[in-house]
Amino acid sequence: MEKRMVFGSTALPYLLVVPQLAITVVFFIWPASQALYQSVLIQDPFGLSTEFVWFENFAHLFTDPLYIAAFWTTAVFSALVTVLSLGLALLFAVMADRVIKGATAYKTLLIWPYAVAPAIAGVLWLFMFNPAIGLVSFYLKVLGYNWNHVLEGGQAMFLVVIAASWKQISYNFLFFLAGLQAIPRSLIEAAAIDGARPLRRFWTIVFPLLSPTTFFLIVVNVVYAFFDTFGIIHAVTKGGPGKATEILVYKVYADGFVGLDLGSSAAQSVVLMTIVVALTVVQFRYIERRVHY
Amino acid sequence: MFRHIKAVALATAFVMATAAAGNAAAPTEIQWWHAHTGRLGEIVNQMVEQFNASQSEYKVTAVYKGNYSETLNAGVAAFRAKQPPHILQVFEVGTATMMAAKGAIKPVYEVMAEAGGSFDPKAYLPTVTGYYTDPAGKMLSMPFNSSTPVLYYNKDAFQKAGLDPEKPPKTWDEVEAALKALKAAGSACPFTTAWQSWVHLENFSAWHNVPFASKSNGFEGMDTTLQFNGPLQVKHVGKMGDWAQQGLFVYAGRRNEGGARFRSGECATFSESSAGYAGVKAEAQFPFGVTSLPYWDGAAGAPQNTIIGGASLWVLQGHSAEEYKAVARFFTFLSSPEVQANWHQQTGYLPITLAAYDLTKQQGYYKANPGTETALIQMTAKAPTANSKGLRLGSFDQIRGIIDEELEAVWSGQKAAQAALDSAVERGDKLLRRFERANK
Amino acid sequence: MVERRGWLTAVTHLVLIAGIAVLALPIYFAFVASTVGLRDIVEPPLPLVPGPFLFDNYGEALLRGVTQAAATPVALMMFNSLVMALVIAFGKIAISLLSAFAIVYFRFPLRMFFFWTIFVTLMLPVEVRILPTYEVVAGLGLLNTYAGLTIPLIASATATFLFRQFFLTVPDELAEAARVDGAGPLRFFADILLPLSRTNIAALFVILFIYGWNQYLWPLLVTTEASMTTIVIGINQMIAPGEDQTNWPVVMATTMLAMLPPVLVVVFMQRLFVKGLVETEK
């Protein structure tokens, strides 16, 4: 799509473009190239000695069981978050689509968690599950189950998954609702007249028509779980216990900022960049083929 | 109009003269970046104000930069941006990183020597400064807040278990007997600890005069390898693992989560930093005692001395001679007996000079606060050996993390002590080699 | 759905109410915790109804902060967050409007190159360039400044694309009419394009405000001074790592305060918010 009518100035467009270009170059392109450069070096933190090492940092990464574990942790974490938040969001959307009375009220009450920062979501759930004073952990103890996510890796993962999903439900809910409301009533009614029960109708008509939305949301949720959840991990578990919740993004921060291993952190950044590129390509390529109605 | 010009000229001259006079009298300013917040931060600010008020040539500005990691990062970034602070507080696990950065730091002994005046390294407590000196004994950084681990115990709980509260256990065998008695008397948590790697491996090795790593624990070179999987350490960790299975030892967390459990009365004995004294005194609702860290009776050379934890002050390159004079003056102030005694008594950190130790004794502080001298006695009883000066290992913050993970596997019964320590040594050595490579 | 079965409708409402409860529960407990004393929290279980200390706790939070976190008053932290959110929202919108305008309404060499450069930024969230961006900002002396907090986050591909999409739907006749009237491009932009874009700008503002307010990783790296902390980071710092006793009531009061502005924005500008979300994902 292009405009037929354009303005003829020569200098003006460049001027208009300069602010964004300048910021993009200084704060995006340049650091990204620095990351690429640093990933092939081994440097001391003060920058006093530098050694060029080709792809050794990458080799070191991929033979490091901790890094492979971080990959696995991230995969598990994103899968759980995606499934949980999508599933619940779909349920709520289907329900919300049905009601007439109080529809706006329900909608308002279901979407506001989007406004809560991931880190704060983490703090809220951390408070409820705090081993010493949390309400939930107290009742679990009463039931005989000793909750201590500071020591148990599985419990820590459970906690961060819940906090991360809790936040995302609203976002998914909105899109599912929009998707549901875009399905023509006539299709549903026709099926009902043919004698199909609600559940059947859902699986044979509604769900397939929702699939572009679903697919889109899967990609968005995976990106969210990969990157935007840094705040949750940092606030709740700091990657622990014993790296049980150390997702890739957190590891870049921990190794670079806390461990001062610049080469490794840069190499990890490059790997993450590749993943983002792949996900973005998927998002644009396949979602462009969405059914438009 | 001529009068107008004259007025303006006079005014300008006046302003310029004042400015010039102002500049001539302006004190040399230096920046100190530190990681103390809350109550400790207030005490730091008080000390700095005291220094600034005591003379007019130099002015110190103390800036809180975050926790230890954040402060170190800020310093590194500032150095790379060619705007380093003058003094940077770095935690003890960052010592190797700082030492390896020869072009970035200015050793303290140089700063003090160049500023003239007297600086007697012998006036300092050898076990405190030993951590921060090079193999030739020259001080590279100024110790600031140092502590060492001791054993706290709940006197009420001891009484209830039929143990003599005035005769705390001295050896780990005696500790075991005590823990069994405590458990029999109904204690849910006879023993817990804070900072497990620091207390039960690093200090344990020094206290028993066995090496933690080769090359004098890394003091003599970056090509050091870890050695804490020796027979004595394995025996100790194995024993603690057994206690964990028997409910005699309850693991609370990697840092100081155990502190809350001891102070609340839940846990009866607690191995922790001597600097935790203030917190225990304030919160514990029961009589408690402080005794020195236990040792294994059969080990040759035990007890030797414990090593410190905490942080020290490093001086960074890139400043003028006049500014370094300011630093030297400030350090002299900080090490004066009165300032040290005050810092020691208010915070529980150790004094760094013998004079401050004596002064505190004279002031009757130890008599009035039983248990506060334990750490000092533990540290000064013997001169440090190659195994007990401290640690000089790169990437040590991460190595501690590895040790924590492996120990946790022992406490939960998943691994035997030997396997866990072997694994920790192997993983840690990898990091050491990478550190060596990066800092060649 | 099609049928009007009574029990199905009841179930529907029940599920929705349960959903709302699940979403609201953590907030409710946080609110209760922010109104009781420390004793009530340290000795579980937490009471299930709010307590009497609302004004005390919120007052203490706003004015004095929590001693562990170098005593930054929450009011100051909220101000920092506000500055960050507003500057980022306005900044992103302004810059993207200009860039989109240039891309759509002009032909100039490097136009497509520029377009793709902006596109690339979609693939470079701050998380993949943490250390180098930090170094750049440190090198420019922008650490612990509002500029350092906001400027690196202002370049936005999504806003630019949104405006581009929108401008493409603006009828050419309007631009032609402007040209016929002798108005230059900037005139056209200010008098015609901007007013038309009002709803998009408003919708974007809602999204971007929330985005800026909720930033975590970037402020964590760029601010170390107590006076520059944003409230989202501040809360994390207030939860002491076991050394001292966390002042939970005040921490929870701070948490409630931290959530308030974005939630209010979402609730009161709901329609714009939804529009903004949906438009930016197209």
Side-chain angles (χ1 to χ4, degrees), chain A residues 96-238:
Chain A
D97 191 40
R98 289 181 52 99
V99 298
I100 308 177
K101 277 198 260 194
T104 334
Y106 279 128
K107 200 164 150 190
T108 314
L109 288 172
L110 281 172
I111 65 171
W112 62 263
Y114 176 82
V116 176
I120 297 197
V123 168
L124 291 174
W125 285 91
L126 173 68
F127 179 65
M128 293 202 300
F129 277 87
N130 184 306
I133 62 175
L135 201 60
V136 176
S137 41
F138 176 76
Y139 284 117
L140 283 175
K141 219 182 282 186
V142 164
L143 291 174
Y145 186 72
N146 226 334
W147 175 271
N148 194 348
H149 68 265
V150 174
L151 298 179
E152 294 289 330
Q155 291 178 4
M157 175 61 92
F158 178 81
L159 185 57
V160 290
V161 166
I162 295 235
S165 317
W166 177 85
K167 214 209 92 77
Q168 237 350 46
I169 291 179
S170 323
Y171 181 88
N172 297 333
F173 167 76
L174 269 175
F175 278 88
F176 272 136
L177 192 60
L180 282 174
Q181 285 172 345
I183 296 180
R185 293 278 152 198
S186 47
L187 278 178
I188 317 279
E189 274 155 29
I193 292 172
D194 278 350
R197 321 226 30 211
L199 213 56
R200 185 114 199 280
R201 287 202 304 267
F202 180 78
W203 287 115
T204 52
I205 301 183
V206 175
F207 197 68
L209 282 178
L210 265 187
S211 56
T213 312
T214 313
F215 192 64
F216 162 74
L217 283 177
I218 290 180
V219 174
V220 167
N221 274 264
V222 167
V223 170
Y224 163 77
F226 260 70
F227 297 103
D228 293 334
T229 47
F230 177 88
I232 297 183
I233 306 284
H234 192 259
V236 178
T237 60
K238 298 234 182 345

Side-chain angles (χ1 to χ4, degrees), chain B residues 37-38 63-66 70 73-74 77 80-81 195 255-256 263, chain C residues 67-70 134-135 138-139 143-144 220 224-225 241-243:
Chain B
T37 178
V63 184
Y64 167 70
K65 278 298 189 183
E70 291 166 344
N73 268 305
R80 286 176 90 119
W195 302 105
R255 303 166 67 95
N256 194 5
R263 296 194 294 268
Chain C
T67 40
Q68 282 100 331
Y134 173 79
E135 276 175 28
L143 289 182
N144 283 310
L220 180 69
T224 45
E225 254 145 59
E243 295 284 353

Side-chain angles (χ1 to χ4, degrees), chain A residues 42-49 51 53 56-57 60 66 151 242-243 255 257-262 264, chain B residues 69 72-73 76 79-80 97-98 101-104 251 254 261 397-398 405 408 427 434 437-440:
Chain A
I42 290 188
Q43 263 192 338
D44 78 301
F46 285 93
L48 296 169
S49 82
E51 191 192 336
V53 293
E56 240 187 85
N57 283 328
H60 172 83
L66 279 184
L151 298 179
K243 313 244 185 278
D255 284 351
F257 239 75
V258 182
L260 292 176
D261 185 348
L262 301 178
S264 170
Chain B
S69 293
L72 179 56
N73 268 305
V76 168
F79 180 80
R80 286 176 90 119
T97 306
M98 297 304 285
K102 292 196 181 53
Y251 174 64
R254 296 183 176 192
R261 296 213 196 183
D397 201 12
Q398 291 157 303
E405 280 171 39
E408 280 164 0
R427 291 168 63 188
R434 202 169 156 81
R437 185 105 181 262
N439 285 284
K440 265 205 303 250

Side-chain angles (χ1 to χ4, degrees), chain B residues 33-174:
Chain B
W33 291 5
H34 67 89
H36 288 300
T37 178
R39 190 177 51 100
L40 290 175
E42 278 169 31
I43 303 179
V44 163
N45 286 335
Q46 276 167 19
M47 285 198 301
V48 167
E49 270 165 38
Q50 203 184 338
F51 174 74
N52 289 339
S54 73
Q55 43 75 46
S56 57
E57 295 156 73
Y58 308 115
K59 180 161 179 267
V60 173
T61 311
V63 184
Y64 167 70
K65 278 298 189 183
N67 62 32
Y68 284 136
S69 293
E70 291 166 344
T71 305
L72 179 56
N73 268 305
V76 168
F79 180 80
R80 286 176 90 119
K82 310 240 188 316
Q83 290 172 336
H86 301 77
I87 307 174
L88 184 68
Q89 180 187 29
V90 179
F91 50 174
E92 92 280 42
V93 297
T95 307
T97 306
M98 297 304 285
M99 267 203 55
K102 292 196 181 53
I105 57 161
K106 193 168 174 64
V108 163
Y109 76 87
E110 260 182 45
V111 174
M112 304 304 273
E114 284 168 16
S118 63
F119 174 65
D120 179 15
K122 289 207 224 17
Y124 292 80
L125 283 174
T127 29
V128 173
T129 53
Y131 207 105
Y132 303 114
T133 53
D134 66 12
K138 300 226 187 67
M139 205 190 287
L140 299 167
S141 68
M142 170 77 70
F144 181 60
N145 51 316
S146 313
S147 63
T148 200
V150 291
L151 191 70
Y152 297 82
Y153 62 98
N154 185 331
K155 284 190 175 169
D156 276 349
F158 265 49
Q159 191 116 45
K160 208 171 113 180
L163 302 161
D164 185 348
E166 303 311 320
K167 286 228 182 74
K170 291 243 159 293
T171 67
W172 285 113
D173 285 312
E174 287 172 21

Side-chain angles (χ1 to χ4, degrees), chain C residues 183-206:
Chain C
L186 286 180
R187 213 60 200 301
F188 169 67
F189 178 72
D191 292 344
I192 302 189
L193 222 47
L194 271 188
L196 278 179
S197 319
R198 254 203 313 252
T199 22
N200 277 302
I201 291 180
L204 254 191
F205 178 81
V206 173

Side-chain angles (χ1 to χ4, degrees), chain B residues 30-376:
Chain B
I30 58 174
Q31 288 241 331
W32 173 25
W33 291 5
H34 67 89
H36 288 300
T37 178
R39 190 177 51 100
L40 290 175
E42 278 169 31
I43 303 179
V44 163
N45 286 335
Q46 276 167 19
M47 285 198 301
V48 167
E49 270 165 38
Q50 203 184 338
F51 174 74
N52 289 339
S54 73
Q55 43 75 46
S56 57
E57 295 156 73
Y58 308 115
K59 180 161 179 267
V60 173
T61 311
V63 184
Y64 167 70
K65 278 298 189 183
N67 62 32
Y68 284 136
S69 293
E70 291 166 344
T71 305
L72 179 56
N73 268 305
V76 168
F79 180 80
R80 286 176 90 119
K82 310 240 188 316
Q83 290 172 336
H86 301 77
I87 307 174
L88 184 68
Q89 180 187 29
V90 179
F91 50 174
E92 92 280 42
V93 297
T95 307
T97 306
M98 297 304 285
M99 267 203 55
K102 292 196 181 53
I105 57 161
K106 193 168 174 64
V108 163
Y109 76 87
E110 260 182 45
V111 174
M112 304 304 273
E114 284 168 16
S118 63
F119 174 65
D120 179 15
K122 289 207 224 17
Y124 292 80
L125 283 174
T127 29
V128 173
T129 53
Y131 207 105
Y132 303 114
T133 53
D134 66 12
K138 300 226 187 67
M139 205 190 287
L140 299 167
S141 68
M142 170 77 70
F144 181 60
N145 51 316
S146 313
S147 63
T148 200
V150 291
L151 191 70
Y152 297 82
Y153 62 98
N154 185 331
K155 284 190 175 169
D156 276 349
F158 265 49
Q159 191 116 45
K160 208 171 113 180
L163 302 161
D164 185 348
E166 303 311 320
K167 286 228 182 74
K170 291 243 159 293
T171 67
W172 285 113
D173 285 312
E174 287 172 21
V175 167
E176 185 167 36
L179 297 185
K180 292 200 169 123
L182 284 163
K183 182 141 178 42
S187 171
C189 172
F191 176 53
T192 188
T193 183
W195 302 105
Q196 51 185 354
S197 169
W198 181 58
V199 177
H200 293 283
L201 266 184
E202 298 164 42
N203 263 286
F204 179 83
S205 307
W207 194 223
H208 293 78
N209 200 17
V210 290
F212 185 84
S214 67
K215 299 247 163 190
S216 299
N217 289 344
F219 271 70
E220 283 164 25
M222 285 196 275
D223 51 342
T224 165
T225 53
L226 296 169
Q227 294 179 335
F228 56 77
N229 54 342
L232 199 55
Q233 291 106 330
V234 171
K235 171 180 170 181
H236 183 68
V237 171
K239 195 47 116 153
M240 282 182 72
D242 290 339
W243 292 346
Q245 299 303 317
Q246 294 160 11
L248 299 175
F249 163 58
V250 173
Y251 174 64
R254 296 183 176 192
R255 303 166 67 95
N256 194 5
E257 293 88 347
R261 296 213 196 183
F262 176 74
R263 296 194 294 268
S264 68
E266 187 189 335
C267 293
T269 38
F270 178 47
S271 54
E272 211 249 294
S273 151
S274 55
Y277 180 81
V280 175
K281 183 147 176 228
E283 278 180 45
Q285 312 266 359
F286 49 84
F288 68 94
V290 183
T291 183
S292 58
L293 206 58
Y295 59 95
W296 287 106
D297 210 356
Q304 169 56 38
N305 64 276
T306 50
I307 56 179
I308 54 172
S312 64
L313 305 181
W314 291 82
V315 182
L316 298 183
Q317 295 271 10
H319 298 289
S320 69
E322 186 61 29
E323 289 165 351
Y324 286 131
K325 275 214 185 116
V327 172
R329 187 73 103 75
F330 184 55
F331 280 175
T332 310
F333 168 80
L334 278 182
S335 357
S336 63
E338 297 78 18
V339 175
Q340 274 298 307
N342 188 40
W343 173 248
H344 163 52
Q345 289 167 36
Q346 280 200 35
T347 62
Y349 285 121
L350 303 168
I352 60 178
T353 57
L354 294 155
Y357 183 18
D358 285 334
L359 181 58
T360 311
K361 265 197 259 200
Q362 277 170 36
Q363 290 172 340
Y365 177 76
Y366 298 123
K367 284 231 176 55
N369 299 279
T372 46
E373 204 182 354
T374 314
L376 278 152

